[in-house]
Amino acid sequence: MPEARLSQSVSRVRLTPRIVGLSIALAFLAVHLATLPSTLEDLDSINFAMGVRDFDVARHQPHPPGYPVFIALSKVSTAALRAAAVPSPEVRGLAIWGAIGGAILLLAAHAMFLGLVRDEWQATAGVALLASSPLFWFTALRPLSDVAGLAVAIAAVSALVRALGWPGEAWTVERGRMLVWGAFVAGLAAGFRSQMAILTLPLLALTISLPGARVPGRARVAAAAAWSAAVLLWAVPLVTASGGAAAYLRALTGQAGEDFAGVEMLWTARSARVAVNALFHTAVLPWDSPVLAGIMLSLAAAGLALMTLRTSRAVLILALVFGPYAVFHILFQEAANLRYALPLVPAVAFCAAVVLKEARGTAGVVATGALALLGLEQAVPAGLAFARTSSPVFAALSEMRLLEAQGARPVVAMHRRVSTETRRAREWSGGPPGTLLPAPRDYEWLEATRVMRNESQAEVWFLADPRRTDLALIDDEHRQTRQYRWPFNARVYVGSARPDVLDWHIYRAPGWFLEHGWALTPETAGIADREGWGPHRRPSVGWVRRRSGETLMMIGGRHLGAATDPAVRV
């Protein structure tokens, strides 16, 4: 008899869309907690880690605007992980909020989608597409504030959508609570990432500006007070810790200047090429597959068209929430940094789900599952590789410290970009051993050859930008090279990350090296020409190590004159 009752109760359990959505969020959380990374991977994450250790916005610990709520939570998680003896607590203390935030975001997105269409199947399909999208899946592993901030912003939007209500729906106490709660969470979201205000404020402004018959005056006042209270909750400690309003504004202004001067954005580089490049990075690359991107964008466009024909409410809300951010991102953000496009992925997933809902039944489920699997096929291997390996710069610094422990005391040269981009990483974990040489732009190799000339037996390490070609002027037969690369499609998952890839060259008594006036590569030819060097102007300078045995020397050149010019004698 008990077995019969158990069988009857099990048969009554239905796999509802809501249960499926919750299961997706829990599975997402479990996998991400199990694969948290162990090293920092970007200048921003290094700044965050420094901010957790010693909060000082003026010293870019972290960089302005300061991310106060995210740093406060990360201080708590880092302390807890350190007390539990978890390896790399600083890194995982940051990254854990991406995993938790990702799961919360999926639940909040489900609630937001339901508020738009009142269709649980469509909302769940949208969540499945969002959870499996490559950019979202991977970014939730990074020790950054992007996913956590977006989760709080979408939670605020879902509450505001419920407060907005449906046409003809009477005002209720529950809608009032949602309005106040949504306003408070919207204010809190800006303390995670300031850009989240662009997602939340337009919808909040619309809701509280509705006619009095739809939103009572006391609800408007309460919502404005809730938003202000949430902002003051993090803004006052932030400004106080920064040394006052004047000091904070100086730091913020300086960061804004760096942002505009150091990257390619459409606002400052207005051309068709930059515009197309921005759209490609925003819409296509986040899916890490031309096939998946083509399917998702086609479905999203068709879904948006269907909604426009059937109901203007959902389209209006989507436009208010995601439209301003899309414009801001295209105009004012570095498109090559794909994680800045992450807030637009939920909108694409939801619009695509509109079409998938039309299939209904088994066909819709199969299509949604196939798209989710296609996304996970790209994202999961990349995430696993990220969890198992160090970022290029920290892998190199770690190996250098091993040689230092064995007594290595080299002379260390760097390309200018590598020197600049690794400065914070070296501050965080300690730099390479030995003597660090200057890195004058375009002439870094000359610093190394000066040492090779004056200290012929010195061991020279060169941390090189793989894109540079000036090291062709130094004998490569007497060097060891170690390359450090990302073990996944870096353009998609860590696009524009700094520090980036590098090569580590170890020179021991090179047989020759060249200095001024040589044209072995277009880069060195340009430098020689700019300096006014070259054999047709003044002798080029090169050095050959003395040796006891015979050797073969070859000197080549090219005739740059016209075909009718006299022959050249070498």
Side-chain angles (χ1 to χ4, degrees), residues 269-537:
R270 301 173 190 179
S271 70
R273 180 193 64 81
V274 176
V276 171
N277 189 55
L279 291 173
F280 180 72
H281 281 80
T282 300
V284 178
L285 282 185
W287 302 97
D288 191 22
S289 163
V291 174
L292 180 60
I295 295 172
M296 289 298 300
L297 294 176
S298 299
L299 289 174
L304 186 61
L306 282 174
M307 284 191 294
T308 303
L309 293 174
R310 294 174 179 175
T311 170
S312 59
R313 177 180 177 275
V315 175
L316 173 63
I317 293 174
L318 287 174
L320 277 173
V321 175
F322 298 103
Y325 185 88
V327 173
F328 170 79
H329 171 66
I330 294 295
L331 289 179
F332 298 109
Q333 295 195 123
E334 183 183 18
N337 202 334
L338 258 62
R339 62 187 175 90
Y340 293 159
L342 180 64
L344 302 176
V345 174
V348 176
F350 172 74
C351 291
V354 173
V355 178
L356 294 174
K357 183 202 71 170
E358 296 299 313
R360 297 191 177 277
T362 304
V365 173
V366 170
T368 303
L371 288 173
L373 287 175
L374 188 55
L376 294 175
E377 182 183 12
Q378 312 298 323
V380 172
L384 292 175
F386 182 52
R388 293 170 181 167
T389 59
S390 296
S391 61
V393 64
F394 285 105
L397 290 174
S398 177
E399 292 187 19
M400 289 175 186
R401 284 192 294 274
L402 291 177
L403 292 185
E404 181 182 23
Q406 297 172 13
R409 293 294 181 270
V411 176
V412 182
M414 299 184 190
H415 279 134
R416 180 77 173 187
R417 181 190 69 81
V418 175
S419 176
T420 301
E421 292 184 359
T422 63
R423 181 178 62 85
R424 296 291 274 183
R426 288 182 276 128
E427 288 178 16
W428 173 257
S429 66
T435 303
L436 190 63
L437 298 176
R441 188 180 302 278
D442 295 336
Y443 298 96
E444 301 94 333
W445 97 94
L446 289 176
E447 295 295 322
T449 60
R450 177 179 55 79
V451 173
M452 294 171 184
R453 253 191 298 119
N454 298 327
E455 304 173 44
S456 61
Q457 299 305 313
E459 182 172 282
V460 178
W461 293 1
F462 204 114
L463 300 186
D465 180 349
R467 292 167 291 192
R468 295 284 301 277
T469 62
D470 56 331
L471 296 186
L473 300 179
I474 304 177
D475 176 18
D476 62 1
E477 274 196 33
H478 294 82
R479 81 180 184 195
Q480 294 177 325
T481 298
R482 305 179 187 183
Q483 296 181 333
Y484 297 89
R485 304 290 187 267
W486 301 100
F488 43 75
N489 187 351
R491 187 184 184 192
V492 171
Y493 296 110
V494 291
S496 196
R498 292 173 287 267
D500 198 8
V501 297
L502 57 86
D503 291 337
W504 174 18
H505 302 300
I506 301 176
Y507 292 98
R508 295 185 179 93
W512 58 268
F513 53 84
L514 308 177
E515 294 185 323
H516 296 282
W518 299 87
L520 267 65
T521 69
E523 178 188 358
T524 60
I527 293 172
D529 184 66
R530 186 175 65 212
E531 285 189 309
W533 284 80
H536 58 298
R537 294 171 176 169

Side-chain angles (χ1 to χ4, degrees), residues 55-427:
F55 188 85
D56 188 340
V57 176
R59 293 163 56 199
H60 282 217
Q61 298 179 193
H63 48 290
Y67 311 85
V69 181
F70 179 69
I71 294 297
L73 290 175
S74 298
K75 282 179 175 286
V76 173
S77 58
T78 299
L81 294 177
R82 184 179 290 114
V86 173
S88 305
E90 297 89 352
V91 181
R92 291 180 169 130
L94 291 164
I96 196 172
W97 294 110
I100 295 171
I104 293 173
L105 195 155
L106 293 174
L107 297 175
H110 191 275
M112 180 183 74
F113 296 163
L114 277 177
L116 292 175
V117 295
R118 284 178 172 172
D119 187 312
E120 287 199 2
W121 198 102
Q122 182 176 329
T124 304
V127 166
L129 297 176
L130 172 59
S132 60
S133 59
L135 181 63
F136 173 63
W137 180 277
F138 189 93
T139 307
L141 288 169
R142 299 181 69 180
L144 296 167
S145 63
D146 298 74
V147 173
L150 182 58
V152 181
I154 295 299
V157 169
S158 67
L160 292 173
V161 169
R162 292 180 62 184
L164 187 63
W166 294 82
E169 184 179 359
W171 182 259
T172 63
V173 173
E174 177 63 19
R175 286 178 61 189
R177 289 172 181 165
M178 286 295 103
L179 176 58
V180 173
W181 173 246
F184 181 82
V185 177
L188 206 59
F192 280 84
R193 288 184 67 79
S194 57
Q195 296 98 318
M196 296 303 97
I198 304 173
L199 289 172
T200 58
L201 286 183
L203 184 60
L204 176 60
L206 172 69
T207 307
I208 63 176
S209 65
L210 289 175
R214 296 195 60 186
V215 180
R218 63 182 181 278
R220 306 173 200 271
V221 174
W227 184 86
S228 301
V231 171
L232 291 174
L233 193 63
W234 55 260
V236 171
L238 171 63
V239 173
T240 302
S242 301
Y248 178 74
L249 287 175
R250 280 196 300 272
L252 190 62
T253 303
Q255 178 66 35
E258 292 179 16
D259 288 344
F260 271 80
V263 300
E264 181 181 82
M265 61 178 68
L266 186 56
W267 183 255
T268 55
R270 301 173 190 179
S271 70
R273 180 193 64 81
V274 176
V276 171
N277 189 55
L279 291 173
F280 180 72
H281 281 80
T282 300
V284 178
L285 282 185
W287 302 97
D288 191 22
S289 163
V291 174
L292 180 60
I295 295 172
M296 289 298 300
L297 294 176
S298 299
L299 289 174
L304 186 61
L306 282 174
M307 284 191 294
T308 303
L309 293 174
R310 294 174 179 175
T311 170
S312 59
R313 177 180 177 275
V315 175
L316 173 63
I317 293 174
L318 287 174
L320 277 173
V321 175
F322 298 103
Y325 185 88
V327 173
F328 170 79
H329 171 66
I330 294 295
L331 289 179
F332 298 109
Q333 295 195 123
E334 183 183 18
N337 202 334
L338 258 62
R339 62 187 175 90
Y340 293 159
L342 180 64
L344 302 176
V345 174
V348 176
F350 172 74
C351 291
V354 173
V355 178
L356 294 174
K357 183 202 71 170
E358 296 299 313
R360 297 191 177 277
T362 304
V365 173
V366 170
T368 303
L371 288 173
L373 287 175
L374 188 55
L376 294 175
E377 182 183 12
Q378 312 298 323
V380 172
L384 292 175
F386 182 52
R388 293 170 181 167
T389 59
S390 296
S391 61
V393 64
F394 285 105
L397 290 174
S398 177
E399 292 187 19
M400 289 175 186
R401 284 192 294 274
L402 291 177
L403 292 185
E404 181 182 23
Q406 297 172 13
R409 293 294 181 270
V411 176
V412 182
M414 299 184 190
H415 279 134
R416 180 77 173 187
R417 181 190 69 81
V418 175
S419 176
T420 301
E421 292 184 359
T422 63
R423 181 178 62 85
R424 296 291 274 183
R426 288 182 276 128
E427 288 178 16

